[in-house]
Amino acid sequence: MSDIILHHYPTSPYGEMVRMALGLKGLAWNSVIQSNMMPRPHLTPLTGGYRRIPVMQIGADVYCDTQIILREIDRRFPDPPLEPAGQEGLGWALRHWAGTTFFQACVGIIFGTIGEHVPKAFIEDREKLSGRPFDVAAMKAAAPMLMDQWRAQAAWIEARAAGGSAFLLGDRPGLADLACAMPFWFLRSGLAPVFEQLTAAMPHARAWFARVEALGHGAPQEMTPEAALEIARAATPAPALPSDPEPQGFAPGDRVTVMADDYGRDPIAGVVQHCSANRIALARDTAEAGAVVTHFPRAGFFVARG
Ligand SMILES: N[C@@H](CCC(=O)N[C@@H](CS)C(=O)NCC(=O)O)C(=O)O
C-alpha cells in the first residue's frame, strides 16, 4: 500500500495541483475526501488548526500547503523531477503567481456569477476563512473586469505555449505546468462556458492544458478520515532533516506559532523540529494521534515565538 495520503475534495483547485503532480510522478496514493468546509474533525488534530486544503500525510508527518506538499513529494520520489534540468526555481515563482493573482481572478469570476446559488453555510465558512464579508454583489460587479484580468494572464500562457515546446519550460512537464494549469482547471470546472469563451482564441494554451491533463492523477485508492488518523496514531514521525541557521534565530526546540500570511490565518503552535529556507516543521503531541510533526513552507507563512 502507498504511504501517501492526500486529504482533499474533488472541487479543490489546489487539490488538483497535487493530484496532477501525483500523475506526473505516476504514483499510487490514498485519497481521503474531506468536507469542502469546516469542521474537519479527523484532520484538525493532524494539522494543529491549519484549515486549508489540501493536506498530505505520510504516517505521522503532515504537510500543509501545496508548496511543501510538492517539495516533499519531489524529495521522496525524485524521478521524474518536478523541476527538470533547465527549469529549476522558475516553477516555484510561477506557482506563487498562479496561486495568487491568477487564482483570485477565478474566485471572483466564479462566485460573482454563481454566488446567489451558494449555500449559506459555505458563505459563512468562507467569511471566517477570509476574515471579510463574502460580498456576492461586489463580486458580481467585478466579474467582467476580472474576466479581462483572467484573459490577459492566460494570454501569457498562450504566448509561451505558442513557442513550440510541449510544456511551458521545455519538452518535459514540471511544476510550472502544474501550477499554471490550476487556474485553467478551476475556471473550467467552476464555469465551463466562461472558460470556453475566454480561451476561444488560445489554441496553443488549450492544447498545452490538454497535454498537462493527460498526465492523469496516478493511482488513487479511497481511504476514510478515521483510517488516516489511525495510521498517524500507529506511526512515528520521520527523523528531523538537517536545519539551517535562521535569520530570526529560530532553532530546533524553540516553541513557536506558524500562520499563513494571506487567508485561513489560524495559528498553529508547536516545538520546532526542523527549520530551513523552505520548510519549518513543528513537533506536536496530540490526544487523537500521539506525536505528529506538521510541516509548513516558509514563503507565505509567518513564524513567531511562543
Ligand atoms: N496556499 C495554499 C492555498 C490552499 C487553498 O486556498 N485551498 C482552498 C481550497 S482549493 C481552501 O483551503 N479553501 C478553504 C477550505 O477548503 O476550507 C496552498 O497552496 O495549498
Side-chain angles (χ1 to χ4, degrees), residues 9 11-15 35-38 40 50-54 64-67 95 103 125-126 129 262-263 301:
Y9 48 86
T11 56
S12 160
Y14 276 97
S35 162
N36 67 355
M37 65 183 104
M38 297 298 270
R40 300 183 181 119
Y50 175 82
R51 65 139 301 169
R52 307 192 304 199
I53 289 289
C64 299
D65 191 288
T66 53
Q67 197 187 144
R95 197 205 69 92
F103 171 76
D125 179 78
R126 291 315 196 250
L129 174 77
D262 46 6
Y263 51 90
F301 282 77

Side-chain angles (χ1 to χ4, degrees), residues 58-252:
I58 298 184
D61 284 271
V62 180
Y63 303 87
C64 299
D65 191 288
T66 53
Q67 197 187 144
I68 195 70
I69 294 173
L70 296 171
R71 192 172 284 283
E72 184 64 15
I73 291 174
D74 211 31
R75 192 182 74 83
R76 292 188 187 233
F77 306 96
D79 194 28
L82 281 184
E83 296 181 279
Q87 302 193 16
E88 297 89 340
L90 278 178
W92 297 109
L94 285 169
R95 197 205 69 92
H96 186 74
W97 155 67
T100 50
T101 321
F102 200 12
F103 171 76
Q104 289 301 341
C106 302
V107 173
I109 295 169
I110 294 170
F111 291 110
T113 308
I114 63 162
E116 282 121 355
H117 309 291
V118 172
K120 192 163 170 278
F122 183 88
I123 291 182
E124 286 170 0
D125 179 78
R126 291 315 196 250
E127 288 184 334
K128 281 196 203 119
L129 174 77
S130 67
R132 286 190 312 238
F134 189 96
D135 189 339
V136 174
M139 284 193 273
K140 205 180 190 60
M145 181 270 287
L146 289 173
M147 289 182 200
D148 282 345
Q149 295 299 312
W150 195 96
R151 191 177 63 151
Q153 293 173 74
W156 299 341
I157 294 177
E158 170 64 14
R160 180 70 218 161
S165 56
F167 295 97
L168 292 182
L169 301 182
D171 294 332
R172 289 197 282 160
L175 175 58
D177 299 288
L178 311 179
C180 295
M182 185 268 272
F184 273 55
W185 183 91
F186 188 20
L187 187 61
R188 192 195 56 194
S189 64
L191 219 48
V194 172
F195 174 81
E196 293 301 326
Q197 181 199 330
L198 296 183
T199 59
M202 299 186 185
H204 302 96
R206 290 176 67 102
W208 156 81
F209 181 42
R211 284 193 288 277
V212 180
E213 289 212 291
L215 297 170
H217 288 159
Q221 184 138 35
E222 292 295 314
M223 177 182 274
T224 64
E226 290 84 353
L229 190 59
E230 182 51 35
I231 286 172
R233 209 167 62 79
T236 306
L241 297 168
S243 289
D244 296 341
E246 280 284 301
Q248 290 192 78
F250 297 121

